[in-house]
Amino acid sequence: MDKDPKGNRRGGNLHNRLPVLRAERGVSRSDLAKAVGVNTQTIGFLERGDYGPSLELALRICAYFELPVEAVFSLTPFTPMSAQLYSPKTGEPR
């Protein structure tokens, strides 16, 4: 897999928050797979970035989580949740 100097994957790879969303909501890979009509392994491939979903699958996943596409998938890496919630300098909530 091709990576840039910072170790990020290059070339059309889609980033996602699937593991975070599943953990937050207590959803197993198997449960999500059944809900969106795919094999459990497909969810694993998506989470690792080994596979990019079709538009239809991405929309089914977003509908399941009741979130807009941009909250689940991105062409650039997501900012870590800790950085969004806490000031990196002080550690205080934002």
Side-chain angles (χ1 to χ4, degrees):
M1 187 169 298
D2 192 23
K3 295 189 177 191
D4 69 14
K6 292 183 180 180
N8 296 317
R9 288 175 279 189
R10 285 190 206 170
N13 287 315
L14 195 60
H15 302 271
N16 68 72
R17 288 188 166 138
L18 292 177
V20 172
L21 291 168
R22 284 193 316 96
E24 174 185 273
R25 298 178 188 206
V27 176
S28 70
R29 283 182 179 171
S30 179
D31 291 340
L32 179 57
K34 286 176 191 171
V36 299
V38 298
N39 187 292
T40 302
Q41 288 179 318
T42 301
I43 301 301
F45 293 145
L46 289 169
E47 290 182 354
R48 289 189 304 276
D50 294 339
Y51 171 73
S54 66
L55 177 57
E56 180 183 349
L57 178 54
L59 292 172
R60 286 196 313 253
I61 290 169
C62 293
Y64 176 83
F65 287 114
E66 298 180 338
L67 291 169
V69 172
E70 60 274 11
V72 180
F73 297 99
S74 176
L75 295 174
T76 57
F78 285 102
T79 304
M81 292 295 229
S82 60
Q84 292 177 5
L85 299 172
Y86 295 94
S87 171
K89 292 181 181 179
T90 65
E92 296 293 319
R94 289 185 183 227

